[in-house]
Amino acid sequence: MNAIRLLKRLSFKRPLAVVSFIVVSSAMSSAGWAQSISLPNTILPEEQAREQQEQVDDTPRADWRSGTYGPVSAQPQNPNALPPFGANLFSGGFRGAMGDGLNASYQVKPGDQITVRVWGAFEFEKVLPVDAQGNIFIPGSGPLNVEGQNSQQVESSVRGAIMSVYPENVQVYTNVQGVQPVAVFVTGYVENPGRFAGTPNDSVLYFLDQAGGIDQDLGSYRQIRVMRNDRTVVTVDLYDFLINGSIARPQFQDGDTIVVEERGPAIAVGGDVHREHRYELLGNQLSGAELVNLARLRSGVSHVLLRGNREDGPIAQYFPIDMFYGQTIRSGDDVLFSADKRSETIVVEIEGSYYGPSRYALPRDARLSELLDAIPVPENMTAVQSISLQRESVRQQQKQSMEDSLRRLETTYLSAESRTNEEAQIRAQEAELIQNFIERARELEPSGRLVVAYNDRISDIRLQDGDVITIPELSDSMLISGEVLVPQAAVFRPGMNVIDYIESAGGFTNRADENHILVVRQNGAVENARNVNLRPGDEILVMPAAPTHNLQLASTLTQILFQIAVATRVAVDL
């Protein structure tokens, strides 16, 4: 490839950073003639003066090495304002999933029914109820106690009892056919305390869901007691179920009581976590490592802000994540996780006429000239002096500026008072015009285009993460749009002026403002058509006239129309 190097190296007060991760493949030789983008001495005089005047005061104002200083965000979170961890637990439909109690570990109790089948030397088949003493009656063998046994133990006991009478050529099969339903009381801090029916082997979650779930403001997710005869059978911690899927499975009896205790001490956890909730403590404190396990951090978290109260007063400490694991978190603390480590690499995108990849990873202080110097482009096909750049921060500024202008328009003209009926009618018509215009204008999205090329010079600005650099291809056309009868693209012809092109597009519409015509350059610059020489690739944009006799309103609308045209390259029809 016979590459032509046109770049004149720029003169800087500091050495240029080396552009990393940029590889220009030798395979480009097959692409034909290519050139590297050339920038003349691109720093504008005002930029040079500003750089010479900038002085940095590097006197340390604090001992930043401690790692416990950092940005303090908005007001601390109130633990009571966050939903409790597990708040969505009782939207899963537990109440519609009553069990049948027939699992391998189920323990038989009075009222259950057991099917017994015997064949061979002795034949017998019957459903035997378990009586109040926990016995079933087997003909020829007598009563057999099976209370408290599981299904395997029941089959072994029945087999032994029958074979003690018929020791040879006898086969035995048993099955726990049905279980006695139970009624369980649910009380404490639940939404709807009451007595609910179920089976002995239903879970605690089934009965809690029947009661409407735990009171989110006052109920505990970690202290749930199952009571029987004024004695605690088991204490259930739903955090074990929420995190690990494990839960205590007591076998309920008729008259058992589930008691949800009052919520214990809590902490607020927010920021870059998957579970931004209020977390309940079993004691008065827990470690940072335990909290990280509960909250499940998002990727990239580097620091933790801990705020709370201690014996000697309020605290606000900012820890690197590694130091946080050993910290003690106490009741009432507010913990904010954040990804607060700046990357030393930015990623920018290239579009348009060029060779090579479309994205580049660069040092954080990389400048436009460094990147352009490394990008080969098709020779005699690229408008190297019309480079432009799209930046998200510019788009946000344009959006905010447009919104401020539209809001001022609303405030000034939609709230004005009328002195006469005629004036009121005129203002009503203007108000409808303004309201429709504002609604359409707010739907437009600014381009975020930053003009970096001016008078064949390119500003050597510092790049930002997410920048999109446009390297346009040389064009032979002109675009005529806005208030013309037939918006179209036309071949560029030297010697033709703006009016000639507008006439070729059918002329002005009856809404056109013939005194306000813009020319949009390939690099994004917008200029008044009376002051420019047309070039290939330009766009002629005919602005609409403000349809009002109110001179002040017409002036305001015209100004906003220009602002929108510059930001979006669209002429909004009034």
Side-chain angles (χ1 to χ4, degrees), residues 13-34:
K13 294 184 293 182
R14 59 176 180 81
L16 288 173
V18 178
V19 180
S20 61
F21 308 120
I22 297 181
V23 179
V24 180
S25 172
S26 59
M28 292 179 189
S29 58
S30 62
W33 290 83

Side-chain angles (χ1 to χ4, degrees), residues 7-213:
L7 180 67
K8 300 176 182 178
R9 298 305 299 170
L10 303 176
S11 174
F12 291 94
K13 294 184 293 182
R14 59 176 180 81
L16 288 173
V18 178
V19 180
S20 61
F21 308 120
I22 297 181
V23 179
V24 180
S25 172
S26 59
M28 292 179 189
S29 58
S30 62
W33 290 83
Q35 64 178 348
S36 290
I37 296 176
S38 171
L39 295 182
N41 192 359
T42 58
I43 295 186
L44 298 178
E46 59 270 24
E47 293 176 348
Q48 289 179 329
R50 186 168 58 253
E51 284 192 2
Q52 292 171 356
Q53 293 173 359
E54 287 179 351
Q55 297 294 330
V56 178
D57 181 7
D58 58 357
T59 305
R61 293 172 292 166
D63 182 11
W64 304 108
R65 296 169 300 173
S66 66
T68 58
Y69 297 88
V72 178
S73 65
Q75 293 298 321
Q77 300 177 99
N78 180 2
N80 295 320
L82 289 173
F85 179 52
N88 61 343
L89 183 60
F90 297 101
S91 60
F94 292 113
R95 71 181 69 183
M98 183 174 67
D100 57 12
L102 303 180
N103 59 64
S105 62
Y106 175 74
Q107 296 179 347
V108 174
K109 64 183 184 62
D112 293 346
Q113 295 179 329
I114 300 174
T115 299
V116 177
R117 293 186 177 91
V118 182
W119 66 97
F122 171 67
E123 293 188 358
F124 174 77
E125 180 176 350
K126 192 172 183 180
V127 178
L128 304 178
V130 181
D131 61 24
Q133 286 74 40
N135 298 324
I136 58 174
F137 188 84
I138 302 176
S141 177
L144 175 66
N145 188 275
V146 294
E147 182 177 5
Q149 297 182 4
N150 59 35
S151 58
Q152 291 182 344
Q153 293 169 335
V154 168
E155 182 166 346
S156 177
S157 297
V158 172
R159 185 186 303 276
I162 292 176
M163 294 189 68
S164 66
V165 179
Y166 304 97
E168 296 181 0
N169 195 25
V170 174
Q171 302 294 326
V172 179
Y173 171 79
T174 64
N175 178 44
V176 180
Q177 181 174 332
V179 298
Q180 185 73 13
V182 296
V184 175
F185 295 96
V186 182
T187 187
Y189 293 93
V190 292
E191 295 292 341
N192 303 303
R195 185 171 180 260
F196 302 97
T199 66
N201 210 50
D202 280 326
S203 70
V204 173
L205 294 172
Y206 171 78
F207 289 105
L208 289 174
D209 203 14
Q210 291 282 87

Side-chain angles (χ1 to χ4, degrees), residues 106-109 147-148 182-185 187 199-204 207 224-236 248-259:
Y106 175 74
Q107 296 179 347
V108 174
K109 64 183 184 62
E147 182 177 5
V182 296
V184 175
F185 295 96
T187 187
T199 66
N201 210 50
D202 280 326
S203 70
V204 173
F207 289 105
I224 303 170
R225 294 185 294 127
V226 178
M227 305 288 295
R228 182 176 301 156
N229 300 324
D230 297 327
R231 181 177 60 86
T232 299
V233 177
V234 66
T235 299
V236 178
R249 296 294 302 267
Q251 183 169 308
F252 287 98
Q253 296 183 9
D254 197 58
D256 284 352
T257 301
I258 299 174
V259 182

Side-chain angles (χ1 to χ4, degrees), residues 423-436 547:
E423 185 178 354
Q425 293 177 356
I426 295 174
R427 286 198 177 276
Q429 295 174 353
E430 290 179 345
E432 183 178 1
L433 167 72
I434 292 171
Q435 196 62 53
N436 293 335

Side-chain angles (χ1 to χ4, degrees), residues 214-521:
I214 295 173
D215 187 323
Q216 293 193 17
D217 296 324
L218 300 173
S220 172
Y221 282 74
R222 311 203 68 177
Q223 291 287 338
I224 303 170
R225 294 185 294 127
V226 178
M227 305 288 295
R228 182 176 301 156
N229 300 324
D230 297 327
R231 181 177 60 86
T232 299
V233 177
V234 66
T235 299
V236 178
D237 183 353
L238 291 184
Y239 277 25
D240 292 336
F241 176 73
L242 289 164
I243 297 173
N244 304 315
S246 60
I247 189 172
R249 296 294 302 267
Q251 183 169 308
F252 287 98
Q253 296 183 9
D254 197 58
D256 284 352
T257 301
I258 299 174
V259 182
V260 177
E261 300 288 352
E262 184 178 4
R263 190 194 78 196
I267 59 175
V269 177
D272 294 322
V273 295
H274 290 284
R275 296 169 175 169
E276 196 170 45
H277 291 297
R278 177 182 72 229
Y279 289 88
E280 183 181 351
L281 308 181
L282 280 178
N284 289 321
Q285 61 185 38
L286 79 167
S287 70
E290 292 172 322
L291 180 58
V292 168
N293 183 54
L294 288 174
R296 305 297 190 190
L297 307 186
R298 297 184 185 274
S299 61
V301 170
S302 60
H303 289 79
V304 186
L305 176 62
L306 173 63
R307 291 181 285 206
N309 291 290
R310 299 294 185 265
E311 292 78 4
D312 53 351
I315 65 165
Q317 296 176 307
Y318 199 62
F319 298 100
I321 188 65
D322 293 339
M323 291 180 58
F324 177 72
Y325 291 116
Q327 302 302 315
T328 299
I329 316 302
R330 299 187 183 179
S331 174
D333 283 355
D334 172 30
V335 183
L336 186 71
F337 293 90
S338 62
D340 193 21
K341 189 174 182 180
R342 292 184 179 273
S343 173
E344 293 302 315
T345 302
I346 63 173
V347 177
V348 299
E349 185 176 347
I350 309 295
E351 64 178 16
S353 176
Y354 67 97
Y355 293 129
S358 62
R359 289 179 176 84
Y360 289 84
L362 308 173
R364 192 156 61 93
D365 61 348
R367 289 187 172 272
L368 181 59
S369 66
E370 298 176 89
L371 176 60
L372 296 182
D373 190 25
I375 299 177
V377 297
E379 187 180 12
N380 300 324
M381 294 178 61
T382 305
V384 294
Q385 304 299 340
S386 295
I387 292 171
S388 62
L389 183 148
Q390 295 177 66
R391 178 168 288 176
E392 177 61 24
S393 60
V394 174
R395 191 188 71 82
Q396 294 291 348
Q397 292 171 359
Q398 291 175 333
K399 183 74 172 177
Q400 185 61 48
S401 178
M402 286 172 50
E403 181 61 32
D404 292 343
S405 297
L406 295 173
R407 191 179 297 112
R408 285 194 299 270
L409 181 63
E410 282 182 313
T411 304
T412 303
Y413 294 100
L414 296 185
S415 61
E417 297 181 355
S418 302
R419 299 178 181 178
T420 65
N421 291 335
E422 293 181 357
E423 185 178 354
Q425 293 177 356
I426 295 174
R427 286 198 177 276
Q429 295 174 353
E430 290 179 345
E432 183 178 1
L433 167 72
I434 292 171
Q435 196 62 53
N436 293 335
F437 167 69
I438 290 174
E439 289 177 2
R440 291 196 302 272
R442 280 179 171 156
E443 294 176 356
L444 299 174
E445 284 295 329
S447 63
R449 184 76 59 181
L450 182 62
V451 179
V452 296
Y454 183 72
N455 287 341
D456 294 335
R457 302 176 64 190
I458 300 177
S459 297
D460 189 31
I461 63 172
R462 185 171 63 84
L463 297 173
Q464 293 183 9
D465 188 53
D467 282 351
V468 180
I469 300 158
T470 303
I471 306 173
E473 187 172 309
L474 288 174
S475 175
D476 296 322
S477 64
M478 295 283 296
L479 181 63
I480 305 97
S481 62
E483 295 299 330
V484 292
L485 288 177
V486 186
Q488 60 180 271
V491 175
F492 175 77
R493 296 178 182 177
M496 289 184 64
N497 59 30
V498 171
I499 299 300
D500 293 334
Y501 282 107
I502 293 175
E503 290 297 331
S504 70
F508 297 103
T509 67
N510 56 7
R511 296 186 302 273
D513 186 348
E514 299 182 16
N515 295 320
H516 292 96
I517 305 172
L518 302 180
V519 173
V520 183
R521 301 294 197 184

